[in-house]
């Protein structure tokens, strides 16, 4: 087996506040990432995902535990590690005074790349990001999806061994998200190691070979998306709505209609192998939901099962 490009063992990050107990943002995470793998950290806002990414990116020191990036300790070899990483931050930090091509060229120069190489690489990355026709446009003239693609292209200027993506599609419309996913699929096919954080379960299922589900700084589960769904949920889910004032009462009547029943503020979830069969039983019982649907189980259901709450709050 190839040597992991990232290895974390009992990784802890605590923030000290005067007169108050330490706030533990990351609480003993252990995981490994193989070369060429697409690895995800899935969890709600505040779960510790971004803090973990900062430690992996060698821009934040750990409180305790062991961490190795490309065989190096990020607390001791930060500059060497950062030179071999690509970073796509949660918020776009492109230079608004420069156009798309100039943003790539200038960033390449920060890495000490010769001007001729920067120009060539910028043109390649503009094509990769489908932004050739926007090369001379200032950043403010680009849509949100275009800015994200440009930010990803910029993170690739130094041919990184690992690309870190923090919430890559937050705030984008569905069409822009799918275009961005396509660009990331192409990177996977090239063998680039991707490490991404997200609280979108469909994004994790689409992009991640393997992932950890994180909540309150701790790992709740680890595995491939399909394995996690198989281990922690049923094949299908029947969603029914009877109105927020009636869901709790009616949920008690649905006990035994499936493997388990979850009550959310706006709907009831019945987990079962046959979702349509559940709806038929509900109708036979004389119950008439306001709305109903059957869908396959997702990572959202895994998180709900493990933590008792929804991913997006």
């Amino acid at each position: 087996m190839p040597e992991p490009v990232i290895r974390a063992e009992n990784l802890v990050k605590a923030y000290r506040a005067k007169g108050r107990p330490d706030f533990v943002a990351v609480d003993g995470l252990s995981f490994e990432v193989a070369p060429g793998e697409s690895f995800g950290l899935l969890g709600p806002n505040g779960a510790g995902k971004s803090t973990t990414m900062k430690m992996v990116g060698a821009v934040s020191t750990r409180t305790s535990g062991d961490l190795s990036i490309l065989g190096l300790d990020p607390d001791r070899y930060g500059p060497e590690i950062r030179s071999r990483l690509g970073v796509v931050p949660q918020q776009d930090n492109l230079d608004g005074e420069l156009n798309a091509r100039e943003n790539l060229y200038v960033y390449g120069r920060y890495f000490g790349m010769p001007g001729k190489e920067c120009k060539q690489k910028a043109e390649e990355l503009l094509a990769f990001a489908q932004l050739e026709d926007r090369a001379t446009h200032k950043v403010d003239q680009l849509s949100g999806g275009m800015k994200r693609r440009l930010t990803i292209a910029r993170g690739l200027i130094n041919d990184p061994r690992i690309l870190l993506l923090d919430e890559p599609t937050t705030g984008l419309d569905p069409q822009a998200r799918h275009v961005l996913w396509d660009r990331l699929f192409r990177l996977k096919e090239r063998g680039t190691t991707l490490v991404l954080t997200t609280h979108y379960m469909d994004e994790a299922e689409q992009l991640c070979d393997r992932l950890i589900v994180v909540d309150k700084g701790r790992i709740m589960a680890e595995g491939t998306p399909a394995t996690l769904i198989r281990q922690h949920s049923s094949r299908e889910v029947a969603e029914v709505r009877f109105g927020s004032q009636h869901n709790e009462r009616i949920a008690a009547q649905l006990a035994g209609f499936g493997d388990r029943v979850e009550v959310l503020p706006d709907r009831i979830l019945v987990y079962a192998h046959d979702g349509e069969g559940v709806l038929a039983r509900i109708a036979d019982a004389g119950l008439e939901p306001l709305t109903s649907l059957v869908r396959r189980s997702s990572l959202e259901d895994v998180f709900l099962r493990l933590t008792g709450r929804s991913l997006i709050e």
Side-chain angles (χ1 to χ4, degrees), residues 190-263:
R190 294 181 184 183
T192 302
T193 301
L194 305 181
V195 180
L196 66 102
T197 73
T198 183
H199 56 248
Y200 295 131
M201 58 279 184
D202 57 339
E203 183 160 273
E205 289 185 53
Q206 287 284 336
L207 297 178
C208 297
D209 301 318
R210 194 167 52 87
L211 57 89
I212 53 176
V213 179
V214 182
D215 187 35
K216 298 178 182 177
R218 297 181 179 180
I219 294 177
M220 309 301 294
E222 179 176 359
T224 67
T227 298
L228 291 176
I229 292 170
R230 187 167 58 251
Q231 289 177 344
H232 299 284
S233 191
S234 58
R235 188 171 73 91
E236 294 184 343
V237 185
E239 294 193 6
V240 288
R241 288 177 168 85
F242 293 91
S244 57
Q245 296 180 340
H246 306 291
N247 285 337
E248 284 278 1
R249 174 178 56 82
I250 294 178
Q253 301 177 50
L254 304 184
F257 279 36
D259 298 332
R260 78 177 201 279
V261 176
E262 293 277 1
V263 184

Side-chain angles (χ1 to χ4, degrees), residues 238-243 246-247 250 254 257 266-268 270 278-293:
E239 294 193 6
V240 288
R241 288 177 168 85
F242 293 91
H246 306 291
N247 285 337
I250 294 178
L254 304 184
F257 279 36
D266 62 332
R267 63 196 186 277
I268 302 170
V270 183
V278 169
L279 294 186
R281 289 190 64 182
I282 291 174
D284 291 343
L287 301 172
E288 298 182 359
L290 301 175
T291 65
S292 64
L293 65 87

Side-chain angles (χ1 to χ4, degrees), residues 63-134:
T63 302
S64 63
D66 295 321
L67 181 61
S68 171
I69 312 298
L70 298 171
L72 301 173
D73 183 339
D75 287 357
R76 297 179 58 194
Y77 299 98
E80 292 90 336
I81 291 172
R82 289 191 293 272
S83 70
R84 300 160 74 182
L85 299 179
V87 178
V88 179
Q90 195 171 83
Q91 300 296 326
D92 294 322
N93 55 358
L94 299 163
D95 192 327
E97 298 298 315
L98 304 178
N99 64 33
R101 178 183 286 120
E102 291 166 344
N103 264 276
L104 298 177
Y105 177 85
V106 170
Y107 200 67
R109 295 292 285 164
Y110 288 152
F111 284 95
M113 295 168 58
K116 184 177 180 180
E117 183 181 349
C118 284
K119 289 180 181 179
Q120 179 181 347
K121 192 69 177 177
E123 296 306 318
E124 292 174 2
L125 291 172
L126 286 170
F128 170 79
Q130 295 181 312
L131 292 172
E132 304 104 305
D133 59 339
R134 307 283 178 160

Side-chain angles (χ1 to χ4, degrees), residues 290-310:
L290 301 175
T291 65
S292 64
L293 65 87
V294 174
R295 60 171 175 81
R296 70 181 182 87
S297 282
S298 71
L299 289 171
E300 171 80 18
D301 300 298
V302 172
F303 191 81
L304 182 62
R305 176 72 180 272
L306 293 173
T307 70
R309 58 197 181 93
S310 178

